[in-house]
């Protein structure tokens, strides 16, 4: 396991590379060129600059989160081929700078979704929460506006305010797209990029839908065991793999996260580890990583990774806001650093118990 930390770049993150470097056991960061519009080619020179900046801080850049997929690819429009060609060029440029894994998602229109970015917990910390009934009774445009207002001045990936104008139109385009269509559009995309991945030794790692069920009538297909199996089997190539996110998949209690890790282990190229508490049907809030704070058992999750021989990249995922920190929701320094240390502790104990 190689422990990494998400970093949004010096202009868009309150956390610095030096701070990240001081977290025990941290080997690198996962990052992205935030300014390149979806669908355009990432220039190698810019990737190199980002990598050099990270390397100068004594950290590696081996994983990109995310190279987003243009909506035309998800919709299966004719224009998708142009965007797929661009994606392939980006993959080549990334591989030339030593990138090994690309995280992406295939969620129509929205990326991850929460109903509250700062729900107060008993100890005075704040966390992100989800309540399906609130989501269903809230207009998506209003929701994006609220997200923008409450995000401490950071633009949340997938929630850029400039998308607001197009939101309704894009949602309408999905009216005729079934889950089957979406899966087949994913297959088309993956089949097209696999040769580039093989030639350049760079792996694709699809991130689960968050939450892992359809929202606003939009189809979602990276949701649980059956779909994950279908996605891996329909393009049965080791370069087609997963970002296994415990918090996304785990927000549906039907998903047994350790069992998923055990089943798909060799195809998990990147791992997101976080915890959450089930508050009822379609309702949950994120917690500290500690098993006793949430509904997921982090020991069982790390044990499943260990037993599967996992040697990929893993990062602590969303943290609460603690100790008065003001940061991008979910992505402050303190609680994620605690999470990394806890995960490292579990890993050391599991490893030593086995020797
Ligand atoms: C949320 C993140 C997601 C993830 C993308 C992957 O905090 O886990 O935004 O990066 O879905 O493309």
């Amino acid at each position: 396991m190689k422990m990494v930390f998400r970093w949004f770049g010096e202009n868009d993150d309150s956390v610095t590379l030096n701070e990240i470097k001081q977290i025990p056991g941290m080997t690198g960061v996962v990052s992205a060129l935030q300014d390149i519009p979806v669908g355009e080619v990432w220039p190698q020179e810019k990737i190199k600059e980002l990598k050099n900046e990270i390397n100068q801080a004594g950290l590696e850049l081996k994983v990109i989160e995310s190279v987003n997929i243009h909506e035309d690819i998800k919709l299966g429009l004719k224009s998708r081929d142009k965007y797929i060609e661009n994606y392939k060029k980006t993959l080549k440029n990334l591989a030339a700078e030593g990138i090994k894994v690309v995280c992406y998602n295939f969620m129509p229109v929205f990326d991850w979704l929460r109903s509250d970015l700062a729900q107060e917990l008993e100890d005075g910390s704040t966390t992100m929460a989800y309540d399906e009934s609130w989501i269903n009774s809230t207009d998506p445009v209003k929701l994006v506006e609220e997200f923008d207002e409450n995000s401490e001045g950071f633009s949340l990936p997938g929630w850029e305010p400039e998308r607001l104008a197009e939101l309704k139109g894009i949602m309408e385009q999905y009216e005729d797209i079934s889950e089957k269509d979406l899966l087949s559009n994913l297959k088309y995309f993956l089949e097209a990029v696999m040769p580039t991945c093989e030639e350049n030794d760079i792996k694709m790692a699809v991130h689960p839908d968050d939450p892992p069920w359809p929202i606003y009538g939009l189809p979602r297909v990276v949701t649980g065991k059956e779909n994950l199996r279908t996605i891996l089997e329909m393009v049965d190539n080791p370069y087609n793999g997963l970002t296994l996110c415990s918090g996304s998949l785990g927000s549906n209690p039907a998903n047994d996260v350790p069992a998923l890790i055990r089943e798909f282990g060799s195809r998990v190229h990147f791992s997101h580890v976080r915890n959450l508490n089930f508050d009822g049907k379609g309702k949950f809030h994120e917690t500290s990583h500690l098993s006793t704070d949430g509904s997921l058992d982090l020991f069982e999750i790390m044990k499943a990774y260990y037993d599967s021989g996992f040697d990929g990249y893993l990062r602590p995922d969303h943290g609460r806001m603690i100790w008065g920190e003001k940061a991008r929701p979910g992505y402050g320094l303190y609680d994620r650093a605690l999470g990394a240390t806890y995960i490292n502790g579990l890993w050391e104990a599991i490893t030593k118990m086995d020797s």
Side-chain angles (χ1 to χ4, degrees):
M1 182 220 5
K2 291 177 266 303
M3 179 67 76
V4 290
F5 207 74
R6 192 173 191 185
W7 183 63
F8 290 88
E10 65 174 351
N11 297 328
D12 213 11
D13 205 317
S14 56
V15 183
T16 67
L17 288 170
N18 280 346
E19 287 165 338
I20 296 172
K21 175 70 186 159
Q22 289 170 358
I23 303 169
M26 203 47 75
T27 67
V29 297
V30 307
S31 194
L33 293 180
Q34 304 272 110
D35 298 337
I36 313 263
V38 182
E40 285 185 18
V41 179
W42 292 21
Q44 192 181 332
E45 222 15 68
K46 290 224 160 160
I47 302 165
K48 193 202 251 341
E49 272 169 33
L50 178 71
K51 182 186 82 175
N52 287 346
E53 184 186 5
I54 291 166
N55 289 168
Q56 270 156 24
L59 293 160
E60 286 188 331
L61 177 67
K62 296 290 180 191
V63 182
I64 294 297
E65 181 174 352
S66 314
V67 183
N68 287 323
I69 310 280
H70 195 277
E71 219 66 47
D72 290 10
I73 299 178
K74 295 183 230 170
L75 284 161
L77 302 183
K78 279 231 170 63
S79 44
R80 69 179 153 180
D81 292 330
K82 175 179 84 193
Y83 293 114
I84 292 177
E85 281 313 305
N86 286 353
Y87 207 98
K88 282 157 61 175
K89 285 185 196 144
T90 295
L91 288 174
K92 250 180 118 177
N93 291 346
L94 288 169
E97 294 306 324
I99 306 303
K100 292 289 169 205
V101 179
V102 167
C103 170
Y104 69 102
N105 71 75
F106 218 70
M107 285 177 255
V109 192
F110 301 105
D111 198 316
W112 57 285
L113 183 68
R114 294 291 174 271
S115 53
D116 194 344
L117 296 174
Q119 178 174 300
E120 193 158 329
L121 297 174
E122 266 176 27
D123 61 8
S125 61
T126 62
T127 194
M128 300 202 283
Y130 186 87
D131 181 350
E132 184 84 357
S133 56
W134 187 89
I135 296 282
N136 286 337
S137 62
T138 307
D139 180 79
V141 173
K142 188 162 165 277
L143 193 131
V144 178
E145 278 167 352
E146 285 199 14
F147 249 59
D148 191 44
E149 273 163 30
N150 298 320
S151 58
E152 297 292 346
F154 295 102
S155 81
L156 304 176
W159 291 96
E160 297 79 3
E162 59 271 20
R163 298 190 72 203
L164 255 181
E166 318 161 11
L167 200 61
K168 281 248 151 74
I170 303 177
M171 287 182 75
E172 274 163 25
Q173 284 184 285
Y174 276 97
E175 275 167 16
D176 297 327
I177 305 280
S178 66
E179 289 191 1
K180 219 170 136 225
D181 297 330
L182 192 59
L183 268 176
S184 105
N185 295 343
L186 174 57
K187 181 167 186 250
Y188 184 96
F189 166 73
L190 283 169
E191 280 175 346
V193 299
M194 279 300 107
T196 310
C197 291
E198 285 172 326
E199 278 156 32
N200 296 279
D201 190 24
I202 185 163
K203 293 180 172 128
M204 297 297 292
V206 70
H207 187 283
D209 304 338
D210 185 359
W213 54 75
I215 52 152
Y216 291 127
L218 295 164
R220 286 194 152 186
V221 291
V222 194
T223 49
K225 187 164 71 180
E226 301 306 324
N227 278 344
L228 292 174
R229 203 182 279 149
T230 304
I231 291 165
L232 296 180
E233 283 174 0
M234 72 187 184
V235 181
D236 196 9
N237 182 321
Y239 285 91
N240 168 29
L242 306 176
T243 296
L244 204 141
C245 175
S246 67
S248 305
L249 291 165
S251 57
N252 179 355
N255 284 332
D256 177 342
V257 178
L260 295 175
I261 296 167
R262 287 177 195 279
E263 172 164 355
F264 303 118
S266 64
R267 301 282 285 274
V268 178
H269 302 321
F270 184 28
S271 162
H272 289 179
V273 178
R274 74 170 115 108
N275 208 344
L276 57 91
N277 199 72
F278 301 127
D279 299 325
K281 196 168 182 313
K283 206 170 169 208
F284 61 87
H285 70 270
E286 298 180 356
T287 65
S288 89
H289 286 72
L290 198 69
S291 299
T292 46
D293 276 352
S295 301
L296 304 182
D297 187 325
L298 274 267
F299 170 79
E300 290 299 340
I301 287 174
M302 295 315 298
K303 179 84 168 57
Y305 277 120
Y306 180 83
D307 292 343
S308 314
F310 180 71
D311 67 351
Y313 300 91
L314 179 147
R315 69 168 179 82
D317 206 357
H318 301 170
R320 302 159 301 148
M321 286 302 137
I322 60 172
W323 305 336
E325 185 176 21
K326 293 239 176 294
R328 173 193 289 276
Y331 287 99
L333 172 64
Y334 305 138
D335 206 34
R336 284 191 299 151
L338 292 176
T341 293
Y342 172 55
I343 293 166
N344 275 330
L346 288 171
W347 193 256
E348 180 179 342
I350 293 166
T351 308
K352 289 187 173 162
M353 298 276 284
D354 192 39
S355 60

